[in-house]
Amino acid sequence: MTALADEATRLLQSAARDAREAAHALSVAPRPQKDAALHAAAAALRARSASVLEANAQDLSAATGLTPAFRDRLALTPARVEAMAQGIEEVAALPDPVGRVITEWTRPNGLLIRRVAQPIGVVGMIYESRPNVTADAGALCLKAGSAVILRGGSESLHSALAIHACIAQGLREAGLPEAAVQVAPTADRGFVAAMLRAAGLIDLIVPRGGKGLVTRVMEEARVPVLAHAEGLCHTYIHAAADHAMARSLVANAKMRRTGICGATETLLIDAAIAPVLLPAIVADLRALGCDFRADDRARAICADLRAATEDDFRTEWLDAILSVKVVDGVDDALDHIRRYGSEHTEAIVTQDESVAQRFLARLGSAVGMWNASTQFCDGGEFGFGAEIGIATGRLHARGPVGLEQLCTYRYQVIGTGQTRP
Protein backbone atom coordinates (compact mmCIF):
# COMPACT_ATOMS: atom_id res chain seq x y z
CA MET A 1 0.00 0.00 0.00
CA THR A 2 1.35 3.45 -0.92
CA ALA A 3 1.82 6.29 1.53
CA LEU A 4 -1.13 8.10 -0.09
CA ALA A 5 -3.36 5.06 0.29
CA ASP A 6 -2.26 4.65 3.90
CA GLU A 7 -3.14 8.28 4.59
CA ALA A 8 -6.55 7.95 2.92
CA THR A 9 -7.29 4.88 5.00
CA ARG A 10 -6.25 6.68 8.18
CA LEU A 11 -8.49 9.64 7.34
CA LEU A 12 -11.44 7.37 6.60
CA GLN A 13 -11.02 5.37 9.78
CA SER A 14 -10.83 8.54 11.85
CA ALA A 15 -13.92 9.95 10.16
CA ALA A 16 -15.81 6.68 10.59
CA ARG A 17 -15.00 6.43 14.30
CA ASP A 18 -16.24 9.98 14.82
CA ALA A 19 -19.33 9.17 12.76
CA ARG A 20 -20.03 6.11 14.90
CA GLU A 21 -20.02 8.22 18.06
CA ALA A 22 -22.19 10.85 16.40
CA ALA A 23 -24.61 8.21 15.13
CA HIS A 24 -25.31 7.09 18.69
CA ALA A 25 -26.18 10.64 19.75
CA LEU A 26 -28.27 11.18 16.62
CA SER A 27 -30.17 7.91 17.04
CA VAL A 28 -31.65 9.06 20.35
CA ALA A 29 -32.06 12.74 19.45
CA PRO A 30 -35.70 13.88 19.67
CA ARG A 31 -37.42 15.12 16.54
CA PRO A 32 -37.46 18.81 17.61
CA GLN A 33 -33.67 18.80 17.95
CA LYS A 34 -33.13 17.20 14.53
CA ASP A 35 -35.63 19.54 12.92
CA ALA A 36 -33.95 22.54 14.55
CA ALA A 37 -30.65 21.47 12.99
CA LEU A 38 -32.28 21.19 9.58
CA HIS A 39 -33.99 24.58 9.79
CA ALA A 40 -30.72 26.18 10.90
CA ALA A 41 -28.88 24.51 8.00
CA ALA A 42 -31.44 25.81 5.52
CA ALA A 43 -31.12 29.32 6.98
CA ALA A 44 -27.33 29.08 6.73
CA LEU A 45 -27.58 28.05 3.07
CA ARG A 46 -29.61 31.14 2.31
CA ALA A 47 -27.33 33.40 4.34
CA ARG A 48 -24.21 31.94 2.71
CA SER A 49 -25.65 31.64 -0.79
CA ALA A 50 -23.02 33.99 -2.25
CA SER A 51 -20.14 31.94 -0.82
CA VAL A 52 -21.73 28.68 -2.03
CA LEU A 53 -22.04 30.11 -5.55
CA GLU A 54 -18.48 31.41 -5.39
CA ALA A 55 -17.22 27.94 -4.44
CA ASN A 56 -19.23 26.45 -7.29
CA ALA A 57 -17.72 28.97 -9.71
CA GLN A 58 -14.28 27.72 -8.62
CA ASP A 59 -15.31 24.16 -9.43
CA LEU A 60 -16.74 25.13 -12.80
CA SER A 61 -13.67 27.11 -13.83
CA ALA A 62 -11.33 24.28 -12.83
CA ALA A 63 -13.33 21.59 -14.60
CA THR A 64 -12.53 21.60 -18.33
CA GLY A 65 -13.78 19.45 -21.16
CA LEU A 66 -17.18 18.82 -19.60
CA THR A 67 -20.19 17.84 -21.66
CA PRO A 68 -23.11 20.29 -21.45
CA ALA A 69 -25.09 17.74 -19.40
CA PHE A 70 -22.22 17.20 -16.94
CA ARG A 71 -21.74 20.94 -16.60
CA ASP A 72 -25.46 21.33 -15.92
CA ARG A 73 -25.27 18.73 -13.13
CA LEU A 74 -22.30 20.50 -11.57
CA ALA A 75 -23.61 24.06 -11.85
CA LEU A 76 -25.43 25.88 -9.06
CA THR A 77 -27.60 28.96 -9.48
CA PRO A 78 -29.38 31.11 -6.89
CA ALA A 79 -32.56 29.16 -7.70
CA ARG A 80 -30.82 25.83 -7.13
CA VAL A 81 -29.36 26.96 -3.81
CA GLU A 82 -32.84 28.05 -2.75
CA ALA A 83 -34.22 24.69 -3.89
CA MET A 84 -31.65 22.95 -1.67
CA ALA A 85 -32.73 25.07 1.30
CA GLN A 86 -36.39 24.32 0.60
CA GLY A 87 -35.62 20.61 0.28
CA ILE A 88 -33.97 20.61 3.71
CA GLU A 89 -37.02 22.34 5.19
CA GLU A 90 -39.30 19.80 3.52
CA VAL A 91 -37.34 16.99 5.16
CA ALA A 92 -37.76 18.73 8.51
CA ALA A 93 -41.52 18.88 7.97
CA LEU A 94 -41.80 15.13 7.40
CA PRO A 95 -42.69 12.76 10.27
CA ASP A 96 -39.74 11.32 12.19
CA PRO A 97 -39.21 7.80 10.84
CA VAL A 98 -37.21 6.65 13.88
CA GLY A 99 -39.28 4.68 16.39
CA ARG A 100 -42.17 4.34 13.95
CA VAL A 101 -44.15 1.13 14.49
CA ILE A 102 -44.10 -0.51 11.07
CA THR A 103 -46.44 -3.33 12.05
CA GLU A 104 -47.53 -5.23 15.14
CA TRP A 105 -49.35 -8.43 15.95
CA THR A 106 -50.36 -10.50 18.94
CA ARG A 107 -49.43 -14.16 19.23
CA PRO A 108 -51.82 -16.82 20.63
CA ASN A 109 -49.80 -16.79 23.87
CA GLY A 110 -50.60 -13.10 24.34
CA LEU A 111 -47.18 -11.68 23.37
CA LEU A 112 -47.39 -8.40 21.48
CA ILE A 113 -44.67 -8.18 18.82
CA ARG A 114 -43.78 -4.89 17.15
CA ARG A 115 -41.49 -4.16 14.23
CA VAL A 116 -40.02 -0.71 14.89
CA ALA A 117 -37.98 1.49 12.52
CA GLN A 118 -34.49 2.38 13.66
CA PRO A 119 -31.47 4.16 12.15
CA ILE A 120 -28.98 2.28 9.99
CA GLY A 121 -25.98 3.69 11.85
CA VAL A 122 -23.23 5.08 9.61
CA VAL A 123 -23.92 5.60 5.91
CA GLY A 124 -21.19 6.14 3.32
CA MET A 125 -22.40 8.15 0.32
CA ILE A 126 -20.27 8.12 -2.85
CA TYR A 127 -21.57 10.35 -5.61
CA GLU A 128 -20.48 12.08 -8.76
CA SER A 129 -20.47 15.80 -9.31
CA ARG A 130 -23.94 16.94 -8.27
CA PRO A 131 -23.45 19.40 -5.39
CA ASN A 132 -27.09 19.24 -4.30
CA VAL A 133 -26.58 15.61 -3.22
CA THR A 134 -24.47 16.97 -0.35
CA ALA A 135 -27.50 18.81 1.04
CA ASP A 136 -30.03 16.08 0.20
CA ALA A 137 -28.05 13.20 1.69
CA GLY A 138 -26.98 15.20 4.73
CA ALA A 139 -30.56 16.23 5.52
CA LEU A 140 -32.09 12.80 4.96
CA CYS A 141 -29.52 10.90 7.00
CA LEU A 142 -29.72 13.43 9.83
CA LYS A 143 -33.52 13.14 10.02
CA ALA A 144 -33.31 9.34 9.75
CA GLY A 145 -30.94 9.28 12.73
CA SER A 146 -27.85 8.04 10.89
CA ALA A 147 -24.47 9.66 10.53
CA VAL A 148 -23.17 10.02 6.98
CA ILE A 149 -19.76 10.36 5.34
CA LEU A 150 -20.09 12.10 1.98
CA ARG A 151 -17.58 11.66 -0.80
CA GLY A 152 -18.55 13.65 -3.87
CA GLY A 153 -16.77 13.91 -7.17
CA SER A 154 -13.49 15.81 -7.12
CA GLU A 155 -14.95 18.32 -9.61
CA SER A 156 -17.47 19.48 -6.97
CA LEU A 157 -15.20 19.52 -3.91
CA HIS A 158 -15.35 23.29 -3.24
CA SER A 159 -19.14 23.29 -3.67
CA ALA A 160 -19.56 20.30 -1.35
CA LEU A 161 -17.40 21.88 1.35
CA ALA A 162 -19.35 25.14 1.19
CA ILE A 163 -22.69 23.34 1.45
CA HIS A 164 -21.36 21.13 4.24
CA ALA A 165 -20.34 24.20 6.23
CA CYS A 166 -24.00 25.21 6.31
CA ILE A 167 -25.08 21.79 7.54
CA ALA A 168 -22.35 21.82 10.19
CA GLN A 169 -23.61 25.20 11.39
CA GLY A 170 -27.10 23.74 11.72
CA LEU A 171 -25.80 20.81 13.76
CA ARG A 172 -23.86 23.14 16.07
CA GLU A 173 -26.83 25.43 16.64
CA ALA A 174 -29.01 22.45 17.56
CA GLY A 175 -26.44 20.96 19.93
CA LEU A 176 -25.81 17.88 17.78
CA PRO A 177 -22.33 16.52 16.95
CA GLU A 178 -20.85 17.96 13.76
CA ALA A 179 -19.43 14.53 12.92
CA ALA A 180 -23.01 13.41 12.18
CA VAL A 181 -22.50 14.80 8.65
CA GLN A 182 -18.97 14.77 7.23
CA VAL A 183 -17.46 15.46 3.82
CA ALA A 184 -14.35 13.54 2.77
CA PRO A 185 -11.38 15.75 3.65
CA THR A 186 -9.49 14.67 0.53
CA ALA A 187 -10.16 14.20 -3.17
CA ASP A 188 -7.79 11.21 -3.20
CA ARG A 189 -9.50 8.19 -4.76
CA GLY A 190 -7.92 6.08 -2.06
CA PHE A 191 -10.55 7.47 0.30
CA VAL A 192 -13.26 5.76 -1.79
CA ALA A 193 -11.35 2.48 -1.70
CA ALA A 194 -11.06 2.81 2.08
CA MET A 195 -14.81 3.42 2.37
CA LEU A 196 -15.55 0.28 0.38
CA ARG A 197 -13.34 -1.78 2.71
CA ALA A 198 -14.69 -0.25 5.93
CA ALA A 199 -16.75 -3.21 7.18
CA GLY A 200 -17.54 -2.66 10.85
CA LEU A 201 -17.09 1.10 10.54
CA ILE A 202 -19.61 1.92 7.79
CA ASP A 203 -22.94 0.07 7.79
CA LEU A 204 -24.20 0.90 4.29
CA ILE A 205 -22.65 2.31 1.12
CA VAL A 206 -24.87 4.26 -1.26
CA PRO A 207 -23.31 5.02 -4.67
CA ARG A 208 -24.99 7.62 -6.86
CA GLY A 209 -23.60 8.21 -10.30
CA GLY A 210 -22.92 6.58 -13.62
CA LYS A 211 -22.64 2.93 -14.48
CA GLY A 212 -18.86 2.91 -13.98
CA LEU A 213 -19.10 4.16 -10.41
CA VAL A 214 -21.90 1.81 -9.41
CA THR A 215 -20.15 -1.18 -11.01
CA ARG A 216 -16.91 -0.43 -9.17
CA VAL A 217 -18.71 -0.11 -5.85
CA MET A 218 -20.65 -3.34 -6.37
CA GLU A 219 -17.47 -5.23 -7.31
CA GLU A 220 -15.17 -3.90 -4.60
CA ALA A 221 -17.38 -3.20 -1.59
CA ARG A 222 -16.98 -5.22 1.60
CA VAL A 223 -19.88 -3.24 3.05
CA PRO A 224 -23.59 -3.72 2.13
CA VAL A 225 -24.55 -1.57 -0.87
CA LEU A 226 -27.81 0.16 -1.75
CA ALA A 227 -27.19 0.49 -5.46
CA HIS A 228 -28.30 3.48 -7.50
CA ALA A 229 -29.82 2.71 -10.87
CA GLU A 230 -28.45 3.64 -14.25
CA GLY A 231 -31.14 5.86 -15.73
CA LEU A 232 -31.97 4.18 -19.02
CA CYS A 233 -35.60 5.30 -18.96
CA HIS A 234 -38.25 4.69 -21.62
CA THR A 235 -41.41 6.50 -22.69
CA TYR A 236 -43.87 4.32 -24.62
CA ILE A 237 -46.59 5.98 -26.72
CA HIS A 238 -49.50 3.59 -27.14
CA ALA A 239 -51.86 3.74 -30.11
CA ALA A 240 -54.59 5.20 -27.87
CA ALA A 241 -52.44 8.13 -26.71
CA ASP A 242 -53.69 11.70 -26.87
CA HIS A 243 -51.43 13.29 -29.48
CA ALA A 244 -50.99 16.66 -27.80
CA MET A 245 -50.29 15.02 -24.44
CA ALA A 246 -47.76 12.66 -25.99
CA ARG A 247 -45.85 15.49 -27.65
CA SER A 248 -45.76 17.53 -24.45
CA LEU A 249 -44.68 14.60 -22.27
CA VAL A 250 -41.91 13.40 -24.56
CA ALA A 251 -40.48 16.92 -24.90
CA ASN A 252 -40.42 17.31 -21.12
CA ALA A 253 -39.21 13.77 -20.36
CA LYS A 254 -36.26 14.12 -22.74
CA MET A 255 -35.33 17.80 -22.76
CA ARG A 256 -36.28 19.40 -19.42
CA ARG A 257 -32.88 18.36 -18.01
CA THR A 258 -31.03 15.85 -20.16
CA GLY A 259 -28.35 15.06 -17.56
CA ILE A 260 -30.53 13.62 -14.79
CA CYS A 261 -31.21 9.92 -14.30
CA GLY A 262 -34.97 10.36 -14.79
CA ALA A 263 -34.59 11.74 -18.33
CA THR A 264 -36.12 9.54 -21.03
CA GLU A 265 -33.41 7.99 -23.20
CA THR A 266 -35.56 5.83 -25.51
CA LEU A 267 -38.89 6.57 -27.16
CA LEU A 268 -41.06 3.57 -28.07
CA ILE A 269 -44.01 4.36 -30.30
CA ASP A 270 -46.76 2.08 -31.62
CA ALA A 271 -46.69 1.35 -35.34
CA ALA A 272 -50.38 2.23 -35.59
CA ILE A 273 -49.77 5.82 -34.47
CA ALA A 274 -46.18 6.43 -35.57
CA PRO A 275 -46.77 7.66 -39.18
CA VAL A 276 -48.87 10.57 -37.91
CA LEU A 277 -47.31 11.35 -34.53
CA LEU A 278 -43.59 10.58 -34.87
CA PRO A 279 -42.81 13.40 -37.38
CA ALA A 280 -44.42 15.92 -35.03
CA ILE A 281 -42.44 14.64 -32.04
CA VAL A 282 -39.19 14.76 -34.03
CA ALA A 283 -39.92 18.33 -35.09
CA ASP A 284 -40.73 19.35 -31.50
CA LEU A 285 -37.52 17.90 -30.12
CA ARG A 286 -35.32 19.13 -32.95
CA ALA A 287 -36.52 22.65 -32.20
CA LEU A 288 -35.21 22.08 -28.66
CA GLY A 289 -31.80 20.89 -29.92
CA CYS A 290 -32.30 17.12 -29.76
CA ASP A 291 -30.63 14.55 -32.02
CA PHE A 292 -31.88 11.01 -32.69
CA ARG A 293 -30.85 7.37 -33.15
CA ALA A 294 -33.68 5.47 -34.83
CA ASP A 295 -34.50 1.94 -35.92
CA ASP A 296 -35.37 1.09 -39.53
CA ARG A 297 -39.13 1.40 -39.04
CA ALA A 298 -38.78 4.88 -37.53
CA ARG A 299 -36.43 5.90 -40.35
CA ALA A 300 -38.98 4.72 -42.89
CA ILE A 301 -41.25 7.43 -41.47
CA CYS A 302 -38.57 10.08 -40.81
CA ALA A 303 -35.86 9.31 -43.35
CA ASP A 304 -33.36 11.87 -42.09
CA LEU A 305 -32.97 10.27 -38.67
CA ARG A 306 -29.58 8.71 -37.95
CA ALA A 307 -29.64 4.91 -37.84
CA ALA A 308 -29.46 3.35 -34.39
CA THR A 309 -27.01 0.61 -33.49
CA GLU A 310 -27.73 -2.17 -31.02
CA ASP A 311 -25.59 -0.38 -28.44
CA ASP A 312 -27.55 2.86 -28.83
CA PHE A 313 -30.56 1.22 -27.20
CA ARG A 314 -28.35 0.28 -24.24
CA THR A 315 -26.98 3.81 -23.83
CA GLU A 316 -27.86 6.24 -21.07
CA TRP A 317 -27.21 9.34 -23.15
CA LEU A 318 -27.42 11.99 -20.42
CA ASP A 319 -27.46 14.36 -23.36
CA ALA A 320 -29.78 15.78 -26.02
CA ILE A 321 -29.97 12.47 -27.91
CA LEU A 322 -33.02 10.19 -28.08
CA SER A 323 -33.15 6.59 -29.25
CA VAL A 324 -36.37 5.80 -31.17
CA LYS A 325 -38.02 2.47 -31.94
CA VAL A 326 -41.36 1.60 -33.52
CA VAL A 327 -43.10 -1.28 -31.69
CA ASP A 328 -46.16 -3.47 -32.18
CA GLY A 329 -48.19 -2.91 -29.06
CA VAL A 330 -47.66 -3.04 -25.33
CA ASP A 331 -46.08 -6.49 -25.15
CA ASP A 332 -43.48 -5.57 -27.78
CA ALA A 333 -42.69 -2.40 -25.80
CA LEU A 334 -42.33 -4.39 -22.57
CA ASP A 335 -40.05 -6.91 -24.30
CA HIS A 336 -37.78 -4.07 -25.46
CA ILE A 337 -37.66 -2.55 -21.98
CA ARG A 338 -36.79 -5.90 -20.40
CA ARG A 339 -34.02 -6.45 -22.94
CA TYR A 340 -32.40 -3.02 -22.90
CA GLY A 341 -33.60 -1.16 -19.80
CA SER A 342 -31.92 -0.56 -16.45
CA GLU A 343 -35.09 -1.02 -14.32
CA HIS A 344 -35.18 2.66 -13.39
CA THR A 345 -38.31 4.45 -14.69
CA GLU A 346 -40.66 3.75 -17.60
CA ALA A 347 -43.76 5.66 -18.73
CA ILE A 348 -46.75 4.81 -20.89
CA VAL A 349 -48.86 7.44 -22.65
CA THR A 350 -52.36 6.19 -23.40
CA GLN A 351 -56.03 6.91 -22.81
CA ASP A 352 -56.75 3.16 -22.52
CA GLU A 353 -56.77 2.31 -18.81
CA SER A 354 -56.66 -1.46 -19.34
CA VAL A 355 -53.50 -1.15 -21.46
CA ALA A 356 -51.93 1.18 -18.91
CA GLN A 357 -52.65 -1.24 -16.07
CA ARG A 358 -51.19 -4.13 -18.09
CA PHE A 359 -48.04 -2.10 -18.74
CA LEU A 360 -47.62 -1.08 -15.09
CA ALA A 361 -48.33 -4.57 -13.74
CA ARG A 362 -45.78 -6.27 -16.00
CA LEU A 363 -42.90 -3.83 -15.56
CA GLY A 364 -39.87 -5.00 -13.62
CA SER A 365 -38.68 -1.43 -13.15
CA ALA A 366 -38.53 0.48 -9.88
CA VAL A 367 -41.00 3.14 -11.09
CA GLY A 368 -43.79 2.95 -13.64
CA MET A 369 -45.71 6.03 -14.82
CA TRP A 370 -48.93 6.54 -16.74
CA ASN A 371 -49.45 9.82 -18.60
CA ALA A 372 -46.64 11.57 -16.72
CA SER A 373 -43.08 12.62 -17.54
CA THR A 374 -40.32 10.28 -16.39
CA GLN A 375 -38.61 13.36 -14.93
CA PHE A 376 -41.08 13.17 -12.04
CA CYS A 377 -39.02 10.26 -10.69
CA ASP A 378 -37.51 12.33 -7.93
CA GLY A 379 -37.69 12.15 -4.15
CA GLY A 380 -38.85 15.74 -3.84
CA GLU A 381 -41.65 15.15 -6.35
CA PHE A 382 -42.67 12.00 -4.46
CA GLY A 383 -43.05 14.00 -1.26
CA PHE A 384 -39.86 12.64 0.34
CA GLY A 385 -38.32 16.13 0.64
CA ALA A 386 -35.21 14.84 -1.14
CA GLU A 387 -33.59 11.59 -2.18
CA ILE A 388 -30.16 10.03 -2.16
CA GLY A 389 -30.75 8.09 -5.36
CA ILE A 390 -33.01 5.66 -7.18
CA ALA A 391 -32.58 2.07 -6.00
CA THR A 392 -33.36 -0.94 -8.18
CA GLY A 393 -32.02 -3.93 -6.23
CA ARG A 394 -34.65 -6.60 -5.77
CA LEU A 395 -33.68 -7.45 -2.20
CA HIS A 396 -34.00 -3.95 -0.74
CA ALA A 397 -35.69 -0.58 -1.27
CA ARG A 398 -36.67 0.34 -4.81
CA GLY A 399 -37.34 3.71 -6.37
CA PRO A 400 -36.43 7.07 -4.80
CA VAL A 401 -34.62 6.51 -1.50
CA GLY A 402 -35.97 8.82 1.19
CA LEU A 403 -36.44 8.72 4.94
CA GLU A 404 -38.25 5.40 5.26
CA GLN A 405 -35.74 3.62 3.03
CA LEU A 406 -32.88 4.95 5.19
CA CYS A 407 -34.16 3.07 8.23
CA THR A 408 -33.81 -0.56 9.15
CA TYR A 409 -35.88 -2.15 11.93
CA ARG A 410 -35.77 -4.07 15.16
CA TYR A 411 -38.37 -5.94 17.19
CA GLN A 412 -40.04 -5.23 20.50
CA VAL A 413 -41.74 -8.07 22.36
CA ILE A 414 -44.20 -7.06 25.10
CA GLY A 415 -45.59 -9.64 27.49
CA THR A 416 -47.58 -10.00 30.68
CA GLY A 417 -45.30 -12.48 32.40
CA GLN A 418 -45.29 -15.29 29.80
CA THR A 419 -42.72 -18.06 30.15
CA ARG A 420 -41.88 -20.43 27.30
CA PRO A 421 -42.93 -24.03 27.90
Side-chain angles (χ1 to χ4, degrees):
M1 190 177 285
T2 66
L4 282 175
D6 283 339
E7 177 63 10
T9 298
R10 186 192 67 76
L11 289 171
L12 180 277
Q13 290 176 347
S14 176
R17 284 192 291 268
D18 291 344
R20 181 69 63 190
E21 289 295 318
H24 173 70
L26 204 58
S27 70
V28 296
R31 174 181 176 176
Q33 189 177 20
K34 293 188 290 186
D35 289 351
L38 292 169
H39 283 295
L45 259 178
R46 292 190 176 101
R48 300 186 183 195
S49 177
S51 63
V52 171
L53 292 172
E54 182 180 341
N56 185 246
Q58 280 185 268
D59 289 331
L60 286 167
S61 66
T64 58
L66 302 181
T67 66
F70 193 106
R71 195 170 187 85
D72 177 65
R73 291 197 298 276
L74 177 59
L76 292 176
T77 64
R80 289 183 182 181
V81 174
E82 174 59 25
M84 283 192 288
Q86 290 180 8
I88 292 173
E89 290 173 336
E90 288 169 9
V91 172
L94 294 172
D96 192 340
V98 180
R100 172 176 53 93
V101 177
I102 300 169
T103 187
E104 65 179 24
W105 62 94
T106 301
R107 298 290 296 145
N109 60 9
L111 287 176
L112 174 64
I113 301 177
R114 289 177 177 158
R115 185 182 299 147
V116 181
Q118 74 166 34
I120 288 171
V122 177
V123 175
M125 181 81 188
I126 303 168
Y127 54 103
E128 291 178 335
S129 298
R130 293 187 63 177
N132 65 291
V133 176
T134 307
D136 293 348
L140 286 169
C141 289
L142 193 164
K143 184 66 177 269
S146 288
V148 62
I149 300 172
L150 301 162
R151 204 290 188 178
S154 58
E155 298 88 351
S156 63
L157 181 60
H158 294 98
S159 304
L161 290 171
I163 294 165
H164 173 257
C166 301
I167 299 172
Q169 180 176 331
L171 288 164
R172 285 194 305 272
E173 290 186 19
L176 290 170
E178 288 186 44
V181 180
Q182 299 179 61
V183 167
T186 174
D188 181 5
R189 292 189 177 187
F191 194 88
V192 173
M195 290 177 74
L196 299 181
R197 295 192 303 266
L201 292 173
I202 294 177
D203 298 296
L204 180 70
I205 291 287
V206 183
R208 181 173 182 180
K211 187 174 183 178
L213 170 65
V214 175
T215 299
R216 179 195 171 187
V217 169
M218 296 291 286
E219 289 176 349
E220 298 182 16
R222 300 296 179 264
V223 178
V225 176
L226 183 64
H228 172 70
E230 182 185 11
L232 214 168
C233 305
H234 298 74
T235 293
Y236 163 51
I237 303 177
H238 176 250
D242 176 274
H243 287 214
M245 179 189 293
R247 291 172 65 177
S248 173
L249 288 180
V250 173
N252 182 268
K254 177 67 238 181
M255 297 302 293
R256 173 186 165 270
R257 289 188 69 185
T258 60
I260 66 172
C261 61
T264 286
E265 304 290 21
T266 298
L267 171 66
L268 305 174
I269 184 167
D270 267 349
I273 201 173
V276 173
L277 188 53
L278 183 58
I281 290 174
V282 168
D284 292 341
L285 268 65
R286 271 197 172 134
L288 297 172
C290 189
D291 196 4
F292 303 88
R293 305 288 186 272
D295 76 338
D296 290 343
R297 296 172 77 185
R299 295 180 73 237
I301 298 167
C302 299
D304 60 345
L305 298 182
R306 181 172 171 178
T309 67
E310 183 85 1
D311 284 344
D312 287 338
F313 289 109
R314 292 192 172 91
T315 298
E316 182 186 16
W317 295 110
L318 297 174
D319 203 349
I321 302 171
L322 182 68
S323 301
V324 182
K325 181 178 176 65
V326 175
V327 295
D328 296 311
V330 65
D331 290 331
D332 194 16
L334 287 167
D335 286 344
H336 179 94
I337 291 168
R338 277 191 291 270
R339 181 175 180 184
Y340 295 100
S342 63
E343 298 191 341
H344 190 295
T345 299
E346 329 298 347
I348 182 172
V349 186
T350 184
Q351 299 302 105
D352 188 324
E353 181 175 356
S354 64
V355 171
Q357 295 297 348
R358 179 182 180 85
F359 179 86
L360 296 174
R362 296 192 173 203
L363 273 180
S365 302
V367 178
M369 297 187 172
W370 173 20
N371 289 347
S373 167
T374 57
Q375 298 223 5
F376 278 109
C377 186
D378 175 86
E381 295 294 339
F382 277 37
F384 298 169
E387 67 175 46
I388 61 170
I390 309 294
T392 59
R394 295 179 179 271
L395 299 180
H396 49 60
R398 307 196 82 202
V401 178
L403 285 177
E404 291 185 15
Q405 295 76 22
L406 280 172
C407 287
T408 182
Y409 56 81
R410 56 191 169 86
Y411 289 94
Q412 296 175 347
V413 180
I414 303 168
T416 55
Q418 290 92 331
T419 58
R420 185 170 179 177

